[in-house]
Amino acid sequence: MKSKTFPLVGWSLVIIGIIHNAFGFIAGWPVLLDAVSAGLIGAWDRPATGVLFWFLVTGFALIALGLLTAQLERSGVVIPWSFITVLGLLALAGVVLMPASGFWLLLFPVAVCLIRRLRR
């Protein structure tokens, strides 16, 4: 499929972000409840709540990045090499430094970007 007709890279990033946040909400539910009971404001500076905060922020950032990428794909814009390089380096660094993590999932959109870019 052409990226103009199906935004595979963008939607894969959105799905990874949703999985990331779902896992964060499920695994971090007790921590989230503690933060809510503490009033949310200023409740994120403890180690446990800080980890959950950044976990969820990363998920929402992946969703936003995926929606933007999907829009670019739909409009026929070629994904820039800079984006592919940075996303690839992020994925590789995550896989090397934290092999038992979800960074492996980022290799899929990177691979799709590379394949599509090299076919042009």
Side-chain angles (χ1 to χ4, degrees):
M1 283 185 194
K2 291 183 179 178
S3 62
K4 188 173 182 179
T5 58
F6 187 73
L8 184 58
V9 174
W11 284 114
S12 65
L13 289 170
V14 169
I15 291 167
I16 292 167
I18 290 170
I19 291 169
H20 203 269
N21 279 356
F23 183 76
F25 279 118
I26 292 167
W29 190 249
V31 175
L32 186 60
L33 290 178
D34 288 343
V36 169
S37 68
L40 292 177
I41 308 296
W44 304 99
D45 55 358
R46 298 186 319 261
T49 53
V51 167
L52 179 61
F53 174 82
W54 287 111
F55 198 88
L56 295 175
V57 166
T58 301
F60 285 116
L62 282 168
I63 293 168
L65 190 61
L67 292 172
L68 178 62
T69 305
Q71 182 63 39
L72 290 174
E73 289 178 290
R74 270 194 235 88
S75 64
V77 174
V78 179
I79 303 298
W81 280 113
S82 57
F83 177 84
I84 299 168
T85 302
V86 171
L87 190 61
L89 289 172
L90 174 67
L92 287 176
V95 165
V96 169
L97 298 174
M98 295 179 67
S101 71
F103 278 104
W104 293 94
L105 296 174
L106 288 178
L107 294 176
F108 177 76
V110 171
V112 173
C113 281
L114 281 171
I115 291 167
R116 288 182 172 174
R117 186 66 194 237
L118 293 173
R119 285 187 178 173
R120 286 195 172 237

